[in-house]
Amino acid sequence: RPWLFFHLTSQTYAPTALSLFFFNNSLFLSLSQLHLLSPFKYSQNHSYRYPSLLGLSIFTLHAMAIDCISNIASMTHHPKDEKKDEQKKLVFDASVLKFESQIPKEFIWPDDEKPSANAPELQVPLIDLGGFLSGDPVATMEASRFISEACQQHGFFLVVNHGVDAKLLADAHKYMDNFFLLPLRQKQRAQRKLGEHCGYASSFTGRFSTKLPWKETLSFRYSAENNSSKMVEDYLVNKMGNELRQLGRVYQDYCEAMSKLSLGIMELLAISLGVGRAHFREFFDKNDSIMRLNYYPPCQKPDLTLGTGPHCDPTSLTILHQDRVGGLQVFVDNEWHSISPNFEAFVVNIGDTFMALSNGRYKSCLHRAVVNSHKPRKSLAFFLCPEGDKVVTPPAELVSQNSPRVYPDFTWPMLLEFTQKHYRADMNTLQEFSNWVQQRNS
């Protein structure tokens, strides 16, 4: 129970004469705070007088102090402030939360969005890029045909024989552990600021208060400009210190490999859509893209939450490499399907920006990630994005009287701003963004 102590200096009590301490609540009350209580009268000589104060029982003082605390709290703390304070205090510390049997309510998803127990596996053909990369015209046409079928159906496919060095892939996964296993305080040196898309983020705490994803991410910008050859390395050293320079070099090399692979896939997409082979490659030649490391720690209640909620990527093209722990799911034929991890393959999916570039012919892929109770899951995601001044508009070959324009012209920074400041990316992002652009234009 609470204990109270008081000390008295004279018959006339100055504001510091009475001090009340609540040990269990760590509260201190001076006499100057007790003028809110009726037994104390404030005299003209600015001192508190209560002649029979020494006769008060400890229980009376206890009751008076509690009343005083309530009065002060009601004057200085608004209920809305409490909600803000709670939201600010919520921190996703994987080293702690991965052991929690009762996960915070902010991470619990609605029943209709919770992960399904046994999602059927999606059978996806592996598209072999070996022939295309070696210049084989027959293999190139076959690869473009497979891509066309997949992009019209669900916007998702896998590629093998992609030409990316196996050691680079292994290093990229190894250095993810080097970062995400750091103490939270160290990772927060690269903390992502509200409204920005680069930096470290422990879930979406601070930005959203419900349906939070069970994950940590580290995102950084990559530019294919000639003078940006050390952009990733410099960013990570600037944020985290020189001890992460080698990590920065690995991801600089990885981003360059992903940019090269993306441009090759863009050639195949152009062929499959019947436009000039170089059209999309040239559009993305000096891409200003985003690299993201995803870390999904174990969760003791994986049936209640999601690692990443259902969404379509707002970017143009996503090239994802999974570790050997499953978790990726794609929505096809009104049902969620799991994608078995294949360390030899890259997962490729169409994003909203390319859906607009194709005038709606190719679908942006609806996907999500689930978590498990025993193993962390890691993935590397490269999001191909055009330069900031490039206008996203479909080529003339894809627009006709029978195929009128579906989406308004825009630039990638406009869509990025929309998703960072106005809208939480989901399956309706592109349509909501189009409405937003049209309202702004009018």
Side-chain angles (χ1 to χ4, degrees):
R1 77 173 49 165
W3 289 92
L4 294 97
F5 292 85
F6 61 91
H7 66 270
L8 307 171
T9 56
S10 64
Q11 190 174 3
T12 300
Y13 306 105
T16 56
L18 176 66
S19 302
L20 302 176
F21 294 85
F22 265 91
F23 279 1
N24 65 332
N25 289 330
S26 301
L27 288 176
F28 166 82
L29 295 178
S30 70
L31 186 58
S32 59
Q33 292 171 312
L34 296 180
H35 72 276
L36 299 170
L37 302 178
S38 56
F40 291 89
K41 305 299 181 185
Y42 194 61
S43 67
Q44 290 183 350
N45 65 354
H46 304 291
S47 62
Y48 290 93
R49 297 180 184 275
Y50 199 95
S52 60
L53 183 60
L54 290 174
L56 290 175
S57 72
I58 204 74
F59 301 106
T60 305
L61 282 173
H62 184 186
M64 290 165 61
I66 291 173
D67 189 29
C68 178
I69 293 167
S70 300
N71 288 337
I72 294 170
S74 64
M75 292 177 64
T76 60
H77 206 69
H78 195 275
K80 287 183 179 178
D81 295 329
E82 271 181 30
K83 290 183 180 178
K84 289 180 182 176
D85 289 344
E86 284 179 11
Q87 192 169 336
K88 286 179 183 175
K89 290 175 185 174
L90 181 63
V91 176
F92 185 79
D93 187 347
S95 65
V96 175
L97 288 176
K98 66 182 179 181
F99 299 113
E100 289 292 327
S101 58
Q102 298 296 324
I103 66 175
K105 65 181 186 304
E106 291 85 354
F107 293 92
I108 298 176
W109 285 64
D111 289 342
D112 61 335
E113 295 184 71
K114 286 187 174 84
S116 48
N118 296 299
E121 185 178 345
L122 182 66
Q123 300 300 321
V124 186
L126 297 176
I127 298 175
D128 191 331
L129 297 184
F132 162 71
L133 294 174
S134 65
D136 183 337
V138 176
T140 296
M141 292 307 296
E142 184 179 11
S144 69
R145 180 172 60 82
F146 281 131
I147 286 176
S148 176
E149 291 173 1
C151 291
Q152 290 181 67
Q153 185 180 2
H154 45 63
F156 171 90
F157 54 94
L158 275 71
V159 296
V160 292
N161 293 326
H162 39 67
V164 179
D165 183 66
K167 184 178 184 305
L168 179 59
L169 272 173
D171 285 347
H173 280 277
K174 180 180 77 173
Y175 279 97
M176 283 184 72
D177 285 334
N178 289 2
F179 177 81
F180 286 111
L181 294 181
L182 289 170
L184 179 62
R185 185 176 294 274
Q186 284 184 254
K187 290 182 284 191
Q188 287 176 329
R189 285 157 64 183
Q191 187 68 44
R192 179 174 168 179
K193 296 178 181 177
L194 199 62
E196 295 183 354
H197 66 282
C198 290
Y200 168 73
S202 52
S203 188
F204 284 154
T205 59
R207 185 180 177 194
F208 304 112
S209 59
T210 60
K211 299 199 299 186
L212 296 183
W214 193 267
K215 70 174 178 178
E216 299 175 274
T217 59
L218 177 64
S219 308
F220 39 88
R221 182 176 159 233
Y222 166 79
S223 174
E225 286 278 6
N226 293 332
N227 60 354
S228 303
S229 59
K230 291 180 67 179
M231 171 183 280
V232 174
E233 179 183 341
D234 290 345
Y235 173 80
L236 290 171
V237 169
N238 180 55
K239 289 290 185 182
M240 299 295 296
N242 200 57
E243 60 269 25
L244 288 191
R245 184 172 295 279
Q246 183 57 32
L247 180 145
R249 288 173 181 160
V250 167
Y251 291 120
Q252 181 76 47
D253 292 344
Y254 186 84
C255 287
E256 289 170 3
M258 292 302 99
S259 177
K260 180 180 178 181
L261 178 58
S262 297
L263 296 181
I265 293 172
M266 280 296 159
E267 278 193 46
L268 289 170
L269 287 167
I271 294 169
S272 70
L273 283 166
V275 303
R277 176 169 178 157
H279 182 88
F280 295 128
R281 184 185 186 101
E282 291 173 356
F283 187 82
F284 290 99
D285 185 47
K286 294 180 180 178
N287 62 86
D288 195 340
S289 299
I290 301 167
M291 181 70 209
R292 180 167 298 156
L293 315 181
N294 297 307
Y295 188 84
Y296 304 91
C299 176
Q300 297 307 309
K301 298 289 185 186
D303 55 324
L304 299 182
T305 190
L306 287 169
T308 301
H311 70 288
C312 298
D313 294 332
T315 48
S316 302
L317 190 76
T318 303
I319 300 184
L320 181 82
H321 196 269
Q322 305 184 81
D323 64 5
R324 293 180 170 87
V325 180
L328 178 63
Q329 294 186 348
V330 176
F331 196 71
V332 180
D333 296 330
N334 296 313
E335 186 179 14
W336 286 105
H337 294 260
S338 64
I339 306 298
S340 293
N342 182 339
F343 206 75
E344 308 301 318
F346 281 103
V347 174
V348 182
N349 66 265
I350 299 298
D352 288 337
T353 301
F354 194 83
M355 186 174 178
L357 277 172
S358 72
N359 200 30
R361 294 196 187 186
Y362 284 177
K363 291 183 179 180
S364 189
C365 175
L366 178 58
H367 58 286
R368 69 183 186 183
V370 300
V371 292
N372 66 77
S373 60
H374 53 281
K375 276 188 178 181
R377 175 177 175 263
K378 297 171 291 180
S379 66
L380 299 149
F382 180 83
F383 301 102
L384 183 70
C385 309
E387 287 179 283
D389 60 352
K390 293 278 190 181
V391 178
V392 177
T393 190
E397 296 94 322
L398 302 182
V399 181
S400 66
Q401 190 172 356
N402 294 328
S403 301
R405 287 289 302 276
V406 180
Y407 307 105
D409 286 351
F410 62 91
T411 62
W412 162 241
M414 290 169 61
L415 180 52
L416 180 61
E417 178 195 351
F418 180 72
T419 58
Q420 295 301 312
K421 298 181 179 179
H422 305 288
Y423 191 81
R424 182 174 182 173
D426 60 14
M427 63 289 292
N428 301 312
T429 303
L430 186 56
Q431 189 56 57
E432 294 296 328
F433 171 69
S434 298
N435 297 339
W436 183 70
V437 169
Q438 290 166 348
Q439 288 172 2
R440 278 183 33 163
N441 291 341
S442 62

